[in-house]
Amino acid sequence: MYRYAEGVASLWQRWIVNPVMGLLRRGADPDTLAWSLALGLVVGVNPLLGSTTLVALGLASLFRLNIVASQVGNHAVYPLEILLFPVFIKVGDVVFGTPNLPLAGHALRESVKRHPWHTTRLLWTWEWHALIVWAVFAAVAMPAIAFGCEPLLRKMAKRVGPGQVELAE
């Protein structure tokens, strides 16, 4: 158990802390980084599987946020995207009153074989409902994450100091 915790801490350090510290050393604004990370974290769990990298890239560019930080946040939550996909689908079912998605593989395959067009339309309906639920979640979660990260990032920025860029030799 202890080695597992060390491994997680090491990954956290390598994949999250080090890249963020590097951006701060290069003079990135902590407030912009907070919003960039929040964008990446929120987009990273959207229920449109396979879209997060491009969506985060496009939105970070559109809102002039830090693209690297948005991708750090996006990729950090990839496992959560898989875990939250059925949650967004289920909440969408409840909110919009659609029939349950047959998540069992054999039921879905049978439905596609017998009624391909109808099944495709239903899948898109479930997906759109899940995306709407996610959008509401994102509208609440993104500012909460950004406002929560800002003080921490400001402290980190003070710690590294302005303009302390380390050049690799």
Side-chain angles (χ1 to χ4, degrees), residues 31-42:
D31 295 339
T32 302
L33 279 184
W35 282 96
S36 302
L37 285 168
L39 174 90
L41 292 169
V42 169

Side-chain angles (χ1 to χ4, degrees), residues 19-155:
V20 170
M21 291 295 280
L23 291 168
L24 289 168
R25 281 189 191 100
R26 287 172 180 75
D29 175 52
D31 295 339
T32 302
L33 279 184
W35 282 96
S36 302
L37 285 168
L39 174 90
L41 292 169
V42 169
V43 167
V45 296
N46 89 63
L48 191 57
L49 301 176
S51 69
T52 60
T53 298
L54 291 176
V55 172
L57 179 67
L59 289 174
S61 297
L62 179 70
F63 294 114
R64 298 180 185 263
L65 296 173
N66 188 298
I67 292 171
V68 173
S70 72
Q71 291 302 319
V72 166
N74 173 28
H75 293 289
V77 295
Y78 175 70
L80 285 178
E81 179 186 24
I82 303 300
L83 292 173
L84 290 176
F85 177 76
V87 173
F88 286 125
I89 293 287
K90 185 67 177 159
V91 173
D93 289 348
V94 171
V95 170
F96 293 98
T98 53
N100 289 336
L101 173 65
L103 291 174
H106 68 282
L108 194 54
R109 275 192 301 276
E110 235 1 83
S111 181
V112 168
K113 275 188 206 174
R114 292 176 190 247
H115 311 285
W117 182 243
H118 178 70
T119 304
T120 302
R121 285 186 22 227
L122 282 175
L123 287 172
W124 274 108
T125 300
W126 284 309
E127 184 66 38
W128 277 110
H129 292 168
L131 281 168
I132 292 168
V133 169
W134 168 80
V136 171
F137 160 80
V140 173
M142 189 171 161
I145 294 167
F147 290 135
C149 288
E150 283 175 357
L152 176 64
L153 290 169
R154 279 194 210 107
K155 278 184 184 178

